[in-house]
Amino acid sequence: MDRITTCVFDAYGTLFDVNAACRELSQKVGDKWNELSTLWRLRQLEYTWLRNSMKEYIDFWKITSDALDYAMETLNIQNIVLRDELLSLYLKLEAYPEVQSVLEKIKNMGLKTAILSNGNKEMLESAVRNANIKTLLDEILSVDECKVYKPASVVYDLVEKKLGVNKQNVLFFSSNAWDMHAASNYGFKTIWVNRFNNRLEKLPGKPDQIINSLEQIEKILKN
């Protein structure tokens, strides 16, 4: 592996728990909370890909609210107050427990750190602030800068453009297999954070390593 100078993280599902909003309001959502969370996330991703194909970009907050509306309608959950509460919580999703300490260790090793996400700047800034990790990040990169979503290659171009690093010196982390495949195909070294024991996709690119928690990063970087 080439010398790694920069660690880049996907945000949603990798640093921040996308199920946190529905889980926190599970008593209000009822026994459909897990189904709602899954469908909300699925449509959120699908809408980014479909809008890329249609060349109809809108920011991720609008996609997130559209996806929630679809999921609630599908599951026949009619509650505008609950909808607004879920969206509010999405702005301050919980970080996974190991995130802060892992970023501290990476910074102590003298490496650059960044987020590269479909989220818009406001969403990302809010989540980062809530997780108390802003001082541990050199850059927060949003697709709003290029007006197209992952896995378009111009999104991954933002890392070299904004951080001034060569792609072969970047280690990219994502819990989303499709994102990891795309980043690998682009030329980054990649780590798939497979938190839920999923399968690799049948797509170009492959992970350099597979882990189930970010806690394993320090060992990888020291090898």
Side-chain angles (χ1 to χ4, degrees):
M1 186 182 287
D2 290 305
R3 187 173 73 88
I4 298 302
T5 64
T6 306
C7 291
V8 178
F9 298 85
D10 170 55
Y12 299 111
T14 305
L15 297 180
F16 307 116
D17 182 357
V18 293
N19 294 315
C22 286
R23 186 172 57 245
E24 186 165 334
L25 292 177
S26 59
Q27 286 189 325
K28 293 184 180 181
V29 177
D31 57 9
K32 292 181 179 178
W33 79 265
N34 196 31
E35 191 177 358
L36 176 64
S37 184
T38 299
L39 184 56
W40 183 9
R41 176 61 172 166
L42 179 62
R43 280 298 181 274
Q44 184 190 51
L45 292 174
E46 289 176 344
Y47 287 171
T48 63
W49 303 329
L50 290 167
R51 283 186 169 276
N52 272 5
S53 297
M54 291 187 271
K55 295 182 171 58
E56 290 287 347
Y57 180 86
I58 56 173
D59 78 30
F60 199 60
W61 182 246
K62 181 68 168 93
I63 280 184
T64 299
S65 61
D66 284 350
L68 177 59
D69 288 341
Y70 175 89
M72 291 184 73
E73 288 171 14
T74 300
L75 297 174
N76 196 29
I77 301 172
Q78 300 175 20
N79 188 329
I80 191 66
V81 174
L82 176 61
R83 173 194 183 272
D84 291 344
E85 286 182 293
L86 287 168
L87 285 174
S88 178
L89 284 173
Y90 209 91
L91 289 174
K92 44 189 178 181
L93 292 176
E94 297 172 9
Y96 285 102
E98 76 275 17
V99 167
Q100 187 171 16
S101 63
V102 164
L103 289 175
E104 287 172 351
K105 289 173 183 176
I106 293 172
K107 294 302 292 179
N108 288 338
M109 295 173 75
L111 302 178
K112 291 182 179 179
T113 57
I115 284 175
L116 178 65
S117 173
N118 280 339
N120 68 27
K121 206 73 171 178
E122 292 75 16
M123 293 174 72
L124 295 171
E125 291 280 0
S126 178
V128 163
R129 191 166 51 248
N130 186 62
N132 196 29
I133 57 174
K134 188 171 179 60
T135 60
L136 302 174
L137 295 165
D138 293 290
E139 286 283 353
I140 301 172
L141 304 174
S142 166
V143 299
D144 264 357
E145 300 204 36
C146 54
K147 306 299 183 189
V148 66
Y149 288 103
K150 297 177 185 179
S153 61
V154 293
V155 176
Y156 303 105
D157 285 341
L158 290 173
V159 174
E160 289 187 286
K161 189 183 298 184
K162 296 293 183 178
L163 287 164
V165 295
N166 294 322
K167 65 173 70 175
Q168 62 265 29
N169 300 122
V170 172
L171 187 58
F172 180 82
F173 297 83
S174 184
S175 64
N176 300 294
W178 60 269
D179 186 21
M180 176 280 302
H181 281 285
S184 174
N185 189 58
Y186 173 81
F188 291 155
K189 300 295 182 293
T190 57
I191 305 293
W192 183 28
V193 189
N194 186 13
R195 294 186 182 278
F196 304 107
N197 197 32
N198 292 323
R199 298 284 185 180
L200 284 168
E201 303 290 349
K202 309 305 180 187
L203 292 169
K206 63 180 182 179
D208 289 271
Q209 293 198 47
I210 300 173
I211 59 179
N212 54 30
S213 166
L214 291 174
E215 290 173 313
Q216 296 158 270
I217 289 178
E218 190 175 17
K219 183 178 179 182
I220 291 170
L221 290 172
K222 286 182 176 179
N223 287 341

